[in-house]
Amino acid sequence: GSSIDYLDLALNRIDSFNPTWFQPINSTLTFLDLLGNSIVYLPSDGFADIRNIERLILNNNPLWFIPSDAFRFADNLRDLFMGSIGIFELDSGWFEGLPALENLHIQNNNIGAIPNGVFSSNLRLRRLEFYNNNVRSLNAASFGQIQSLTHIMAQNNRIRAFDPVIIDRASNLDWLMLSGNICNRDDFS
């Protein structure tokens, strides 16, 4: 059988995602690029058969429905790109079954909040990019005990409240980008 590792389907006219399409290459596929298509929903357990997927790009798809268990069983997923997909909120179920997740890109959406505990099972998360959203506060409870964070890129949101415990817990944090928010000095106490 085929041993395709990288599959680039970017900028096509794909309007749905069917995991059975990838059955001949399920065991070898590690990189799937679906950028700029017309995908509107992901199925439950959509990546259960693509267990070796490490990098998934969903940017620029009008994803109006993503079930809580869409990424369940994607145990090796390290890089998840969900920028410009029109989401308003984060479902903690999306990230629960992703123990290898290191880089999460959810920029250019309409996300209003980072829910408490949403990243609590992502202990390897290093880079979190959620710039150009509508997030109003950063709370340590959203991140749990994650110490691996090196980059938080939160510029151009509506952040007014920032919990300094985030900096204490994220002992490897190198970049904290908060430009273009509405913080003042009292917001960092």
Side-chain angles (χ1 to χ4, degrees):
S2 183
S3 61
I4 295 173
D5 177 58
Y6 175 93
L7 180 57
D8 183 350
L9 294 171
L11 304 173
N12 279 290
R13 295 181 181 165
I14 299 169
D15 62 0
S16 64
F17 178 81
N18 185 339
T20 61
W21 297 337
F22 308 105
Q23 282 179 341
I25 57 172
N26 279 353
S27 63
T28 60
L29 188 63
T30 61
F31 189 136
L32 178 59
D33 188 347
L34 294 168
L35 175 135
N37 279 286
S38 300
I39 300 170
V40 294
Y41 74 94
L42 295 177
S44 290
D45 299 332
F47 298 90
D49 293 330
I50 313 173
R51 290 193 182 252
N52 292 320
I53 193 83
E54 294 177 9
R55 185 169 226 197
L56 176 61
I57 301 175
L58 296 169
N59 290 356
N60 298 87
N61 277 285
L63 280 164
W64 57 265
F65 183 68
I66 305 171
S68 292
D69 58 358
F71 304 110
R72 187 169 55 178
F73 304 119
D75 298 342
N76 296 309
L77 189 61
R78 290 180 308 151
D79 303 310
L80 179 56
F81 295 81
M82 297 172 67
S84 301
I85 62 173
I87 53 176
F88 288 87
E89 59 187 77
L90 297 178
D91 184 325
S92 58
W94 295 341
F95 312 116
E96 267 178 16
L98 302 178
L101 188 65
E102 294 179 8
N103 302 298
L104 179 59
H105 305 265
I106 51 177
Q107 72 281 358
N108 301 319
N109 282 295
N110 293 305
I111 299 166
I114 307 289
N116 288 349
V118 71
F119 304 119
S120 60
S121 65
N122 309 115
L123 299 179
R124 293 184 185 171
L125 187 62
R126 291 184 0 219
R127 185 180 194 103
L128 177 58
E129 295 187 14
F130 60 97
Y131 53 87
N132 297 334
N133 276 288
N134 292 310
V135 175
R136 288 172 169 66
S137 66
L138 286 182
N139 184 329
S142 302
F143 300 96
Q145 297 299 319
I146 297 175
Q147 297 176 357
S148 57
L149 276 172
T150 60
H151 293 73
I152 297 176
M153 302 175 82
Q155 57 274 44
N156 300 319
N157 276 279
R158 294 180 177 192
I159 296 171
R160 180 173 189 96
F162 179 83
D163 188 344
V165 173
I166 295 169
I167 297 171
D168 290 338
R169 287 186 186 162
S171 55
N172 295 307
L173 193 61
D174 292 327
W175 289 27
L176 177 58
M177 301 184 72
L178 295 171
S179 61
N181 283 287
I182 55 175
C183 299
N184 63 49
R185 73 179 168 93
D186 295 332
D187 300 324
F188 291 89
S189 51

